[in-house]
Amino acid sequence: MTAPGTHPSASFPASRPRRLRRTSALRELVAETRLGVNDVIAPLFVREGITEPQPIRSLPGVVQHTRSSLRREVRELAGLGIKSVILFGIPAQKDDVGSSAWDPNGIVQVALADLREDHGDDMVLMADCCLDEYTSHGHCGVVRPDGRVDNDATLELYARAAVAQAEAGAHVVAPSGMMDGQVGAIRSALDGAGHSEVSVLAYSAKYASALYGPFRDAVDVRIAGGGDRKGYQQDWRNAREALVEVAADLAQGADMVMVKPAVTYLDVIAAVRAACNVPVAAYHVSGEYSMIKAAAANGWIDGDAVAVEQLTAVKRAGADLILTYFARDLAERWS
Ligand code: PBG
């Protein structure tokens, strides 16, 4: 029996977890999860036909780069120790099928070539492989007359875009359109074009999230007719389905898989981590970033602290890599 007023742990010496929280050095020593410059990938936007970088209203601190400001930014990121960037392009002209996505002179292709020239193999160059930034209707694929996105007609265009990105110098192509069979179509096109060394990071479990709003400002996308992507991106009520997507992508040759968004899907990240042995990435998306920035600008939260807490949680859940707009801020803080 415990004497009145005495906490049971006082008579149970083995159970005193606070001992290891006593000093900052002790806490560092026993931390289970570490977040550092090698874990983050910086998403960057490059826009054709502009002469000055353009701020993005809903993504404070992020800009649409010119070709030359992109080169400068990536040199600075490399100096801060960042090992990888992922590029998104905004073409001067959009069309029905998004043809600048595979044009060798398309903005992402020329930007990849610039960066490959600057960094060789020292920086891992990734390219988002999709059509929505390039189509006039804003969908991620070919739209049929009935308004639906045609899965198989889209695969052929993703394959062309992936080959163009590889030829321009991408080390990794990252299909994000959630078409069935996209990884297989891209893998065989890359192999057929002599790019068997280029890897595929599959956006495997990508949800039809309301958190992509600021990104669509960043790439000037408005989905035609006020539509959405629920016909191809995952329903956020479903977690098991993510494992079906991951298994399909791995069977088709994905080298790495991704869950997106991140903080609202920690359960999915953990399940994907447990279900496979390839690197798992998570995308801390534009809305996740902007919410932190907006609350911090109002003085309601400490934005830097919340960013580290959220991104550490994403790693703790099982992600090996995190795509985050905080990459530069964090690298500056860590350097
Ligand atoms: C599609 C794509 C999107 C994002 C990355 N790739 C937008 C979408 O699916 O609507 C969103 C990223 C973010 O919100 O930060 N190419």
Side-chain angles (χ1 to χ4, degrees), residues 167-244:
E167 312 234 288
H171 295 95
V172 178
V173 300
S176 66
M178 291 299 282
M179 297 299 131
D180 291 339
Q182 63 185 11
V183 172
I186 285 172
R187 183 71 269 159
S188 52
L190 288 172
D191 292 349
H195 294 293
S196 54
E197 80 291 356
V198 169
S199 359
V200 176
L201 163 58
Y203 285 68
S204 300
K206 176 173 174 178
Y207 286 87
S209 172
L211 290 161
Y212 307 147
F215 174 92
R216 293 183 192 158
D217 285 346
V219 293
D220 294 337
V221 166
R222 263 156 303 281
I223 304 176
D228 58 41
R229 305 204 195 293
K230 292 187 177 174
Y232 39 105
Q233 297 180 349
Q234 267 189 258
D235 186 324
W236 32 257
R237 293 171 294 189
N238 299 344
R240 291 191 300 269
E241 190 189 12
L243 301 181
V244 176

Side-chain angles (χ1 to χ4, degrees), residues 18-33:
R18 281 191 56 202
R19 276 184 191 131
L20 298 181
R21 298 179 199 141
R22 216 156 55 83
T23 69
S24 163
L26 265 170
R27 292 191 294 272
E28 283 302 317
L29 195 67
V30 301
E32 296 173 26
T33 311

Side-chain angles (χ1 to χ4, degrees), residues 143-167:
V143 177
R144 297 192 312 216
D146 67 1
R148 288 174 189 275
V149 173
D150 186 328
N151 193 87
D152 295 3
T154 301
L155 296 182
E156 158 64 14
L157 305 186
Y158 286 178
R160 282 195 222 171
V163 170
Q165 292 170 341
E167 312 234 288

Side-chain angles (χ1 to χ4, degrees), residues 116-159:
R116 192 66 186 263
E117 186 183 313
D118 292 349
H119 300 277
D121 290 332
D122 293 339
M123 173 68 75
V124 178
L125 301 178
M126 301 194 178
D128 183 76
C129 186
C130 197
L131 297 178
D132 64 316
E133 294 105 83
Y134 307 95
T135 54
S136 39
H137 45 69
H139 273 294
C140 296
V142 176
V143 177
R144 297 192 312 216
D146 67 1
R148 288 174 189 275
V149 173
D150 186 328
N151 193 87
D152 295 3
T154 301
L155 296 182
E156 158 64 14
L157 305 186
Y158 286 178

Side-chain angles (χ1 to χ4, degrees), residues 32-324:
E32 296 173 26
T33 311
R34 291 166 205 279
L35 182 69
V37 87
N38 295 321
D39 304 315
V40 295
I41 299 166
L44 297 171
F45 301 99
V46 58
R47 179 167 181 176
E48 187 175 27
I50 54 170
T51 51
E52 287 300 322
Q54 305 291 312
I56 302 157
R57 202 181 46 85
S58 56
L59 270 180
V62 181
V63 300
Q64 295 176 332
H65 281 287
T66 67
R67 268 175 82 175
S68 63
S69 74
L70 180 76
R71 288 180 103 145
R72 222 167 26 246
E73 173 74 8
V74 177
R75 257 186 235 115
E76 290 171 15
L77 291 173
L80 290 165
I82 301 266
K83 305 296 186 308
S84 181
V85 297
I86 181 163
L87 297 192
F88 297 88
I90 305 106
Q93 298 296 333
K94 304 194 184 206
D95 62 28
D96 257 20
V97 288
S99 55
S100 352
W102 61 84
D103 180 346
N105 297 312
I107 184 65
V108 159
Q109 282 70 258
V110 295
L112 283 166
D114 289 344
L115 298 179
R116 192 66 186 263
E117 186 183 313
D118 292 349
H119 300 277
D121 290 332
D122 293 339
M123 173 68 75
V124 178
L125 301 178
M126 301 194 178
D128 183 76
C129 186
C130 197
L131 297 178
D132 64 316
E133 294 105 83
Y134 307 95
T135 54
S136 39
H137 45 69
H139 273 294
C140 296
V142 176
V143 177
R144 297 192 312 216
D146 67 1
R148 288 174 189 275
V149 173
D150 186 328
N151 193 87
D152 295 3
T154 301
L155 296 182
E156 158 64 14
L157 305 186
Y158 286 178
R160 282 195 222 171
V163 170
Q165 292 170 341
E167 312 234 288
H171 295 95
V172 178
V173 300
S176 66
M178 291 299 282
M179 297 299 131
D180 291 339
Q182 63 185 11
V183 172
I186 285 172
R187 183 71 269 159
S188 52
L190 288 172
D191 292 349
H195 294 293
S196 54
E197 80 291 356
V198 169
S199 359
V200 176
L201 163 58
Y203 285 68
S204 300
K206 176 173 174 178
Y207 286 87
S209 172
L211 290 161
Y212 307 147
F215 174 92
R216 293 183 192 158
D217 285 346
V219 293
D220 294 337
V221 166
R222 263 156 303 281
I223 304 176
D228 58 41
R229 305 204 195 293
K230 292 187 177 174
Y232 39 105
Q233 297 180 349
Q234 267 189 258
D235 186 324
W236 32 257
R237 293 171 294 189
N238 299 344
R240 291 191 300 269
E241 190 189 12
L243 301 181
V244 176
E245 291 281 1
V246 165
D249 286 353
L250 291 174
Q252 290 167 44
D255 301 289
M256 301 181 269
V257 295
M258 194 197 298
V259 175
K260 179 186 169 184
V263 174
T264 327
Y265 298 88
L266 296 180
D267 57 330
V268 178
I269 295 172
V272 169
R273 172 71 291 156
C276 70
N277 290 312
V278 298
V280 174
Y283 200 145
H284 190 259
V285 301
S286 58
E288 297 179 282
Y289 172 87
S290 296
M291 288 194 291
I292 294 175
K293 286 288 183 185
N298 275 298
W300 296 338
I301 59 171
D302 174 341
D304 289 343
V306 173
V308 171
E309 183 177 340
Q310 287 200 359
L311 297 172
T312 303
V314 171
K315 264 204 93 179
R316 193 188 62 227
D320 303 294
L321 302 165
I322 308 176
L323 292 80
T324 170

